[in-house]
Amino acid sequence: MKKNFLLIVSAVLLTSGCSSSDNLEDSVYVYDEEYTDLPAYTEWGYNTFGAYYDRNLFISSDATPAKVLSKGGKTVFSLQGTYDIYGSMTVKFVLDGYSPAKYADLVSLNDSTIDLANPKCKVCLLLNGIEDTLNILNGQLYIKRAQHLLVNKESVEAILSGYFQFQMLNDGTPSTISHGRFDVGIGYDNFYKL
Amino acid sequence: MKRMLLSFSVCCLMTIPLLAQGKTPVFGGIETGFVTFDNEKRSLDFIRESASDYDYYGDYAGSTNSLYNVFYAGFKQEFPVISRLSFSTGVRFTQVGSSIKPESGSYMYLFLSSEGTTTNFAKARKISQNSQYLGVPLEFRWYLPSYHFVRSYVKLGATVNYRIATSTRVTFTDEMMNQYDGDIESQVKKPDSFYSMGYASVGLRVGKQYGPSINFEAVMPAFEITTNSSSLTTPITGFGVQVTFQFPMNFKSE
């Protein structure tokens, strides 16, 4: 009985601790008015993204939805979420020749369009633990806005907001990722420089 | 405009005693009241959402909590119209206070400024706005029973008010940020110059028929006739209390 009581008290304390939603790291879903199951395009660093993968929903989950890895003259921008009923899926955009030293340097991507069919760019898909490099037929990654965010005058993160869509051949099967949009914060906990 | 309101109220006070007939006195009174409103936060572009549109259960959820309260005090006179019906008017000072706090957690993020690719947010615990008004209350009171020492009544009233001042304040988590208070204030519009509220109430008058009395009333419902008395929230329906001390002003015994 005493054990149960302690368990209940611990659960209440834990859940009340988790209910505080004042962190920039939290995902905030403000839904699109037209594509109602996708997050709207925003520029607040809401840590969400969404797209349709062959008309099925690919959307950020509450875990860290975006990571940036800068290594050896390349940068990998990855978006991790869930793909309909198929489970966890990650799309990785590998940008050759771009290597920011710190997260604040990501603002150099402000208002830039990356042609995903360009040989200097690579797109990988990680689904159920299997990673494939996609044969991109056409498509763009458009970083509409990149901001260096200061909170109370202290540097906190970079916010990357934009759109993406592309057509690809995956194991010879044509597929489309469409209406993609993202608004993610990249800071100390999800920016890596190797 | 202030002069117009003042002139109007003085005229009311001077002309309406003509309604008073016979032995029934005109009562002077000092009133004070408080009304709190159910309200809806306005769409404010400078507040970052901290919660999703919908919660785990699919219900609409918000990031912030808003308050809207009205406090007033004033002087008014009550003039008998017919045996149980009276009319009151006077001068009333009103303070409308509204505020926004985070729904959960201890602070919210506010947009301060953006220059090039650098964006500034500030953490704030609360935004509040207070407006002061000078106005005229107009009330009709219907006494339910004939004279008793404790007498119940119902009332219909409205006020017309002119805004004389407004201040918006932000409570930042870091006092160093107080210097940026103006950046937020510049993003908040001022309320309209005129504000009007309607209300119904039920009450008890305790006192002799022609002597001093105290009146307690429950104001319910109260509603805003004008819509923009706060830049932070929109009031919907309110309830509150009003207390009035009354004394006879022109009674002459037969």
Side-chain angles (χ1 to χ4, degrees):
Chain A
M1 187 64 187
K2 196 175 174 185
K3 206 174 180 181
N4 286 343
F5 177 74
L6 283 173
L7 276 172
I8 292 166
V9 169
S10 314
V12 168
L13 288 174
L14 277 171
T15 50
S16 61
C18 294
S19 68
S20 173
S21 55
D22 49 18
N23 291 318
L24 289 173
E25 291 83 8
D26 292 340
S27 292
V28 176
Y29 290 89
V30 176
Y31 287 96
D32 193 296
E33 287 181 4
E34 188 177 0
Y35 301 100
T36 53
D37 46 1
L38 293 179
Y41 171 78
T42 51
E43 296 178 348
W44 284 94
Y46 282 153
N47 296 307
T48 57
F49 71 83
Y52 294 120
Y53 179 11
D54 282 346
R55 299 182 183 175
N56 289 314
L57 190 63
F58 168 44
I59 193 165
S60 51
S61 51
D62 284 339
T64 310
K67 289 183 179 178
V68 171
L69 170 65
S70 175
K71 181 187 175 185
K74 286 182 183 176
T75 293
V76 181
F77 174 47
S78 57
L79 296 173
Q80 182 186 345
T82 52
Y83 170 45
D84 202 54
I85 58 168
Y86 305 101
S88 175
M89 185 170 104
T90 304
V91 172
K92 295 179 179 178
F93 301 99
V94 183
L95 315 177
D96 202 359
Y98 178 68
S99 185
K102 52 187 187 300
Y103 65 78
D105 294 340
L106 289 168
V107 295
S108 59
L109 291 171
N110 186 48
D111 193 24
S112 58
T113 303
I114 295 153
D115 179 5
L116 298 176
N118 188 312
K120 287 189 81 176
C121 185
K122 197 168 80 172
V123 182
C124 303
L125 193 69
L126 178 64
L127 180 60
N128 293 329
I130 301 166
E131 184 167 317
D132 290 311
T133 299
L134 305 174
N135 181 4
I136 300 294
L137 302 174
N138 61 70
Q140 299 88 34
L141 169 66
Y142 173 36
I143 297 166
K144 188 176 178 183
R145 192 149 185 228
Q147 308 167 75
H148 179 207
L149 179 65
L150 309 181
V151 175
N152 286 1
K153 296 294 169 188
E154 287 180 14
S155 174
V156 173
E157 64 181 22
I159 298 174
L160 300 179
S161 312
Y163 299 96
F164 61 97
Q165 63 176 10
F166 49 90
Q167 291 186 317
M168 60 193 160
L169 287 176
N170 189 4
D171 285 338
T173 307
S175 297
T176 305
I177 285 190
S178 60
H179 302 292
R181 68 284 307 276
F182 58 90
D183 179 23
V184 293
I186 307 291
Y188 174 76
D189 63 339
N190 56 352
F191 178 85
Y192 308 91
K193 174 71 179 172
L194 299 181
Chain B
M1 188 50 69
K2 286 179 210 169
R3 275 187 191 168
M4 271 177 63
L5 271 173
L6 205 60
S7 310
F8 176 69
S9 53
V10 169
C11 284
C12 286
L13 292 173
M14 288 180 70
T15 56
I16 294 177
L18 297 173
L19 290 167
Q21 305 257 330
K23 64 180 180 181
T24 314
V26 170
F27 286 96
I30 296 166
E31 60 164 12
T32 183
F34 174 82
V35 182
T36 186
F37 278 80
D38 181 25
N39 63 91
E40 209 167 75
K41 192 199 90 176
R42 289 181 185 276
S43 174
L44 299 168
D45 293 341
F46 60 89
I47 301 178
R48 182 186 189 271
E49 298 292 334
S50 61
S52 299
D53 285 353
Y54 300 95
D55 65 15
Y56 180 78
Y57 303 101
D59 296 325
Y60 184 79
S63 302
T64 50
N65 218 335
S66 55
L67 288 173
Y68 181 98
N69 297 317
V70 174
F71 166 80
Y72 57 86
F75 175 81
K76 67 186 176 195
Q77 282 188 295
E78 182 183 11
F79 309 99
V81 179
I82 51 174
S83 64
R84 291 187 187 182
L85 179 69
S86 68
F87 172 77
S88 302
T89 189
V91 180
R92 181 182 283 184
F93 170 82
T94 301
Q95 170 149 309
V96 173
S98 55
S99 63
I100 293 176
K101 286 180 175 178
E103 175 75 34
S104 62
S106 55
Y107 53 82
M108 52 194 167
Y109 290 95
L110 305 183
F111 172 84
L112 279 184
S113 62
S114 184
E115 286 171 34
T117 54
T118 302
T119 299
N120 284 288
F121 287 179
K123 286 183 191 176
R125 298 191 197 286
K126 186 181 173 184
I127 311 172
S128 52
Q129 185 177 69
N130 288 311
S131 295
Q132 290 78 36
Y133 296 84
L134 199 60
V136 178
L138 305 165
E139 295 178 341
F140 285 96
R141 169 149 56 166
W142 179 261
Y143 290 96
L144 295 174
S146 54
Y147 170 69
H148 288 88
F149 187 75
V150 179
R151 206 175 179 194
S152 57
Y153 59 86
V154 291
K155 190 193 268 185
L156 283 177
T159 58
V160 182
N161 304 282
Y162 178 73
R163 184 167 58 82
I164 47 180
T166 294
S167 63
T168 303
R169 276 190 57 80
V170 182
T171 308
F172 292 103
T173 56
D174 185 345
E175 284 183 9
M176 180 201 80
M177 298 301 288
N178 287 348
Q179 59 184 302
Y180 300 100
D181 202 78
D183 287 11
I184 301 296
E185 199 167 358
S186 65
Q187 297 180 71
V188 181
K189 291 176 185 170
K190 290 258 190 282
D192 289 346
S193 296
F194 283 96
Y195 149 67
S196 185
M197 178 175 82
Y199 50 92
S201 61
V202 291
L204 290 174
R205 179 185 188 276
V206 182
K208 289 183 179 174
Q209 187 171 17
Y210 300 140
S213 67
I214 182 166
N215 300 261
F216 301 98
E217 55 193 79
V219 179
M220 193 169 60
F223 53 93
E224 301 275 319
I225 298 168
T226 51
T227 54
N228 188 19
S229 52
S230 164
S231 313
L232 305 179
T233 73
T234 305
I236 302 168
T237 315
F239 64 91
V241 290
Q242 181 176 306
V243 178
T244 312
F245 298 95
Q246 284 188 305
F247 44 88
M249 293 185 76
N250 63 344
F251 179 65
K252 290 174 188 169
S253 57
E254 286 182 283

